[in-house]
Amino acid sequence: MDSSQGAATAVTGGGGGGGNGLISQANDTAAVNALDDPKQNLNQVINSIQKTLGLLHQLYLTVSSFNAASQLPLLQRLNSLVMELDNMVKIAEKCNIQVPMEVLNLIDDGKNPDEFTRDVINSCISKNQITKGKTDAFKGLRRHLLEELEQAFPDEVESYREIRAASAASAADLKKLAQAQSMLPNGDMKVKSEL
């Protein structure tokens, strides 16, 4: 192997033995010892995918200009690709990412997965409008019933409104108390962790 191929192999991480094997083992150990933080695991998978894409590109370049002298770099790059794919599988096992089948089907059909997101959002908007219409209808019914009851039983409706006002005031007090307990000394709110 000439010096340019040796330098390219060292830069790309190719090479079956020596220091490259130790670096790969150190990276594997670091990946195993990494915190189980979901965001960090996802970033590791993304980095591994990007590294794999780079290795595939280098492999493509090596194969497209293949000659007898480039057989060793080709084998080294293949070994690097296999090691990175193995590393990616190990890292991916720690990630719990759930992708809806509809998204995968859209990708298989050659469509943009953003269409799925758009459809879900539009569906949520339409369901929200239906629910809002129902709540508005119930509010109108309640208001109409209270008007009718007030005409027939004015004293009972007045006592009902007093009871409702008292319960609403106590609920507001409980809400303020709960908010005050979740306040930090600097005025910020405590936030639950996403785990």
Side-chain angles (χ1 to χ4, degrees):
M1 167 182 343
D2 65 10
S3 62
S4 65
Q5 289 175 339
T9 303
V11 168
T12 61
N20 288 336
L22 295 176
I23 292 172
S24 175
Q25 290 173 354
N27 288 340
D28 290 344
T29 305
V32 170
N33 293 335
L35 297 173
D36 289 333
D37 182 29
K39 290 180 182 178
Q40 183 178 2
N41 291 340
L42 181 60
N43 287 336
Q44 288 177 345
V45 170
I46 290 170
N47 291 338
S48 181
I49 290 170
Q50 291 173 345
K51 186 174 179 182
T52 301
L53 289 174
L55 289 170
L56 285 171
H57 179 69
Q58 292 169 357
L59 191 61
Y60 166 76
L61 294 175
T62 304
V63 169
S64 64
S65 63
F66 183 76
N67 59 34
S70 63
Q71 184 171 359
L72 183 60
L74 175 65
L75 292 175
Q76 291 172 340
R77 289 187 176 143
L78 280 172
N79 285 336
S80 296
L81 178 64
V82 169
M83 287 179 3
E84 188 57 36
L85 288 172
D86 184 46
N87 185 36
M88 185 188 310
V89 168
K90 289 176 187 174
I91 295 171
E93 288 174 353
K94 293 188 273 181
C95 288
N96 184 17
I97 300 172
Q98 298 176 356
V99 178
M101 284 303 296
E102 294 89 355
V103 173
L104 297 177
N105 291 336
L106 282 173
I107 293 170
D108 286 343
D109 294 341
K111 296 180 181 174
N112 189 343
D114 290 340
E115 292 178 17
F116 175 77
T117 305
R118 186 187 64 232
D119 292 343
V120 168
I121 290 173
N122 288 338
S123 173
C124 288
I125 289 171
S126 66
K127 288 179 183 179
N128 187 26
Q129 290 173 342
I130 291 169
T131 304
K132 185 179 182 318
K134 289 178 182 179
T135 57
D136 289 346
F138 277 113
K139 286 178 184 177
L141 175 64
R142 181 179 175 276
R143 186 173 47 253
H144 178 70
L145 287 174
L146 277 176
E147 289 171 359
E148 294 289 323
L149 284 171
E150 192 170 25
Q151 290 175 0
F153 308 103
D155 295 334
E156 287 81 2
V157 170
E158 185 61 35
S159 66
Y160 167 75
R161 287 190 172 145
E162 289 172 1
I163 292 170
R164 289 279 299 186
S167 67
S170 68
D173 290 341
L174 288 175
K175 185 177 178 181
K176 287 180 183 178
L177 178 64
Q179 287 176 345
Q181 290 175 347
S182 65
M183 294 287 266
L184 296 173
N186 64 358
D188 291 342
M189 297 291 290
K190 291 181 185 175
V191 178
K192 292 182 182 177
S193 63
E194 295 181 18
L195 298 177

